[in-house]
Amino acid sequence: MLQQNAEAEAVKLCQAILKQDASHAEALQLCALGLKHASPAKADVYFRKSLQCSPNNSYFLGNYANFLAGTNRDDLAESMYKKALSFEPRNHDTAFNYAVLLGSQHRYKHAILLLSKQLTLGAEQARFYSLLITYSEKVYQYEDALAYCMAGLRIDSSNYQLRLQHAQLLRELSEPKEALALLKNLREQFPKSAEIHYLIGCIYFDLQQYHEAETALNGAISLAPDFLDAHKALNKLLWENGDERKFLVSFAQARAQVSNPLRLWLAEVEHLISSKHLAAAEQILSDLEKSNQQQPDILYFQSLVSTAQGAYEQALAKLKLARKKRPSHTRYLIDEAAIYIRMEQYKRALSLLDLAQKAAPDNQEIIAYQALCWRLLGNEQYDWLYNTEQFVRPLQLETPAGYATLTDFMDELKLLISGLHNAKNQPIDQSVRNGTQTVGRLFSSQHPVITQYQNALRNAIQCYLDRLPQDKRHPLLRRNTGKFNFSGSWSVQLLRDGYHSNHIHPAGWLSVCTYLEVPPAICREDPAKSGWLKFGESCLALGDKESIIKTVCPEQGMSIIFPSYYWHGTNPLCADKPRITLPCDIAPI
């Protein structure tokens, strides 16, 4: 009956049984399951009573754990999952749900171990492989993800999700033609899958076949008008290729086809804010507010517009209203803290950052704002966190085999990378100003020159890690396992007057920047330090309260490593020749 959504009838029958036998464990359990949506408090009582009657029942424990996880009692849910599996290690459903909980907490390594163990216990199911693929990608172990994918396909070669993930992985591993062939084959079987059209569009974007990418992304949107990722990819393509006539048109067309267009409006607002069209964003939000009173997303975007306009009190008021609806929302907490920093209320900012850090202890942006507050308060923890002499270091790369000098190798790498910069505009969602940035993960390329560079860089980073001291409290040092993966890799080309606005790297733990092309105008003798890298100055434009704690004059072939939470940017480039870099982020394993 429960499976037929006849919960109320099932509960009545079970309660009739319980009148005859109050300790009937199965009836108590079924009552709990039947009431978990309509009356969670009563369901909780029934769950606990059923476990009093049958404390070692793995399936009862697993059901209660699912209920607890669904009511945001994660710690208790985890203890129930562990107890359930201690009684029955082959309770695959419970193990799978436990892995989902671990993933929601970003504990991907623990989840991978759990799921892998279940495979050894006979859980030969596509969903286990699919989740292993997802979590392996989260920790940047793409080769492992591909191995899981192939193993899953061996037991279920027609599985839609696994086939889709196979194509996604091939894209990540810079095998776009193979990925495209798989997706086109899949599209023949599932022609109305918006996700397939979307991925085809993304791969064409990677291949710089922009007309084909636009066609595929529009196809995805026609099949699913509220497919936000497709809208974002399409409008990123249009923006970076200078097609202002079509930019954001997809949102208006899609809104006419959906019953509730709020998400589409908000996605358009996000693009308007990113492209500095604040007045248009403000007008849309004002209109939305009339029919969506106190909607937290609207309030949040209003706060962003007010912040960009310098109206900090107004922005703060909107954020506080949004946080009443979502008090533990990490993004809201960080942005509210940033406003308090602008208003010189550093202790209030720190209290919000502490709250945010409980949910996201490794969030690089939180650490960056904490450091800023500590500096402005004169707190000695700032020097502990921003020990530039220890943490900002040049890396000594070995010359790859087959090259007489490192300069010869870097020249060949520069020639390869410079050919990837074909966009007309700066990216809409990055720190680059008057320049271009490549898409995708460069280190996934199978090109031998990139492989050689990656290997040389990996060896140099390993030497850096080996020399770091130990400190279990420090947000950088406590995560040093001595092992790492590259979590992102790209290239940036700055043109005349181009620069990086001050930023941090949210997807990193450590970041590296290698200089492939440095025009002669960038030199140590330049008093204006044109094109130099600078550390310490935040994105908040605090005027005389900002502090540049270190500058670096780039040199061709130089590689610099630094913590990803370090605020950094560059001075504008006063040169006719471009400056080309190859940055990357790394994450500990």
Side-chain angles (χ1 to χ4, degrees), residues 126-186:
R127 59 176 178 155
F128 278 84
Y129 287 106
S130 180
L131 202 56
L132 276 164
I133 295 164
T134 299
Y135 291 166
S136 296
E137 288 181 295
K138 293 289 187 182
V139 293
Y140 315 109
Q141 295 178 345
Y142 293 100
E143 296 293 345
D144 288 350
L146 185 60
Y148 288 128
C149 187
M150 301 315 293
L153 287 169
R154 281 195 291 273
I155 65 167
D156 189 355
S157 61
S158 63
N159 185 278
Y160 169 82
Q161 185 61 31
L162 288 175
R163 292 167 71 190
L164 196 67
Q165 286 179 294
H166 187 197
Q168 290 172 315
L169 278 168
L170 288 174
R171 180 195 177 203
E172 287 288 350
L173 294 168
S174 291
E175 299 287 354
K177 293 180 181 178
E178 291 81 352
L180 203 53
L182 284 178
L183 287 168
K184 287 181 176 179
N185 181 268
L186 203 55

Side-chain angles (χ1 to χ4, degrees), residues 157-355:
S157 61
S158 63
N159 185 278
Y160 169 82
Q161 185 61 31
L162 288 175
R163 292 167 71 190
L164 196 67
Q165 286 179 294
H166 187 197
Q168 290 172 315
L169 278 168
L170 288 174
R171 180 195 177 203
E172 287 288 350
L173 294 168
S174 291
E175 299 287 354
K177 293 180 181 178
E178 291 81 352
L180 203 53
L182 284 178
L183 287 168
K184 287 181 176 179
N185 181 268
L186 203 55
R187 185 175 59 183
E188 290 181 6
Q189 295 178 259
F190 303 94
K192 295 193 179 298
S193 167
E195 196 169 16
I196 294 172
H197 287 264
Y198 164 70
L199 284 172
I200 288 173
C202 290
I203 292 172
Y204 276 129
F205 192 0
D206 297 343
L207 293 169
Q208 300 178 357
Q209 296 180 29
Y210 299 126
H211 175 73
E212 292 84 352
E214 184 178 347
T215 300
L217 292 169
N218 276 316
I221 292 168
S222 68
L223 291 165
D226 60 349
F227 192 170
L228 296 188
D229 284 346
H231 283 282
K232 290 176 181 178
L234 174 62
N235 285 288
K236 177 180 173 69
L237 183 156
L238 296 170
W239 171 266
E240 293 184 13
N241 284 279
D243 197 338
E244 295 184 16
R245 182 177 57 87
K246 295 179 184 176
F247 183 58
L248 304 185
V249 169
S250 69
F251 291 111
Q253 293 174 339
R255 282 194 293 271
Q257 302 175 58
V258 299
S259 57
N260 183 0
L262 179 60
R263 292 171 68 245
L264 288 164
W265 276 118
L266 292 174
E268 181 172 352
V269 163
E270 186 175 7
H271 281 71
L272 287 168
I273 294 171
S274 297
S275 58
K276 309 302 181 187
H277 293 94
L278 298 180
E282 189 173 28
Q283 183 58 58
I284 291 173
L285 291 167
S286 178
D287 293 341
L288 290 175
E289 188 179 31
K290 294 171 185 175
S291 55
N292 297 274
Q293 289 291 322
Q294 305 297 301
Q295 206 282 340
D297 294 313
I298 294 173
L299 292 165
Y300 173 67
F301 281 116
Q302 285 178 320
S303 78
L304 291 184
V305 172
S306 295
T307 298
Q309 294 170 334
Y312 301 131
E313 292 283 1
Q314 186 175 329
L316 193 58
K318 295 293 186 182
L319 260 179
K320 285 184 174 180
L321 288 173
R323 274 220 305 127
K324 283 185 178 179
K325 302 286 185 179
R326 298 171 183 167
S328 301
H329 195 292
T330 302
R331 183 71 263 161
Y332 296 178
L333 288 164
I334 294 172
D335 283 11
E336 189 175 336
I339 293 173
Y340 277 124
I341 293 172
R342 284 183 159 112
M343 297 170 68
E344 301 182 32
Q345 298 183 41
Y346 309 127
K347 291 183 179 179
R348 294 190 73 172
L350 280 171
S351 67
L352 291 167
L353 294 169
D354 288 343
L355 282 175

Side-chain angles (χ1 to χ4, degrees), residues 482-504:
K483 298 179 181 179
F484 67 93
N485 272 330
F486 292 103
S487 55
S489 47
W490 62 98
S491 176
V492 172
Q493 175 179 257
L494 293 182
L495 306 174
R496 172 169 276 280
D497 299 324
Y499 65 97
H500 283 279
S501 60
N502 297 324
H503 64 289
I504 56 102

Side-chain angles (χ1 to χ4, degrees), residues 36-91:
K36 66 180 181 180
H37 299 301
S39 181
K42 289 181 180 178
D44 193 278
V45 172
Y46 278 113
F47 272 123
R48 286 188 279 109
K49 285 183 176 180
S50 72
L51 287 169
Q52 287 173 0
C53 298
S54 185
N56 299 341
N57 188 310
S58 176
Y59 299 94
F60 287 7
L61 287 162
N63 288 336
Y64 188 34
N66 296 339
F67 171 75
L68 292 166
T71 52
N72 300 314
R73 288 178 280 175
D74 290 358
D75 290 345
L76 188 54
E78 183 168 4
S79 69
M80 291 295 127
Y81 281 130
K82 287 180 176 178
K83 194 173 181 180
L85 292 171
S86 72
F87 291 123
E88 176 48 81
R90 287 180 171 81
N91 186 341

Side-chain angles (χ1 to χ4, degrees), residues 375 382 386-389 391-394 500 502-505 511-513 515 529 532-539 546-554 558-571:
R375 179 179 66 76
Y382 175 77
Y386 262 65
N387 186 338
T388 54
E389 293 305 312
F391 298 147
V392 181
R393 307 294 292 272
H500 283 279
N502 297 324
H503 64 289
I504 56 102
H505 289 200
S511 299
V512 178
C513 184
Y515 294 86
K529 299 184 176 181
W532 284 35
L533 175 63
K534 56 183 178 177
F535 291 99
E537 199 173 56
S538 81
C539 69
E546 293 288 3
S547 176
I548 298 174
I549 59 172
K550 186 178 181 67
T551 56
V552 177
C553 178
M558 173 188 285
S559 294
I560 296 287
I561 190 167
F562 54 90
S564 298
Y565 61 75
Y566 268 35
W567 290 108
H568 62 286
T570 67
N571 294 325

Side-chain angles (χ1 to χ4, degrees), residues 569-582:
T570 67
N571 294 325
L573 176 64
C574 299
D576 292 325
K577 289 186 175 181
R579 189 215 71 171
I580 301 174
T581 57
L582 207 172

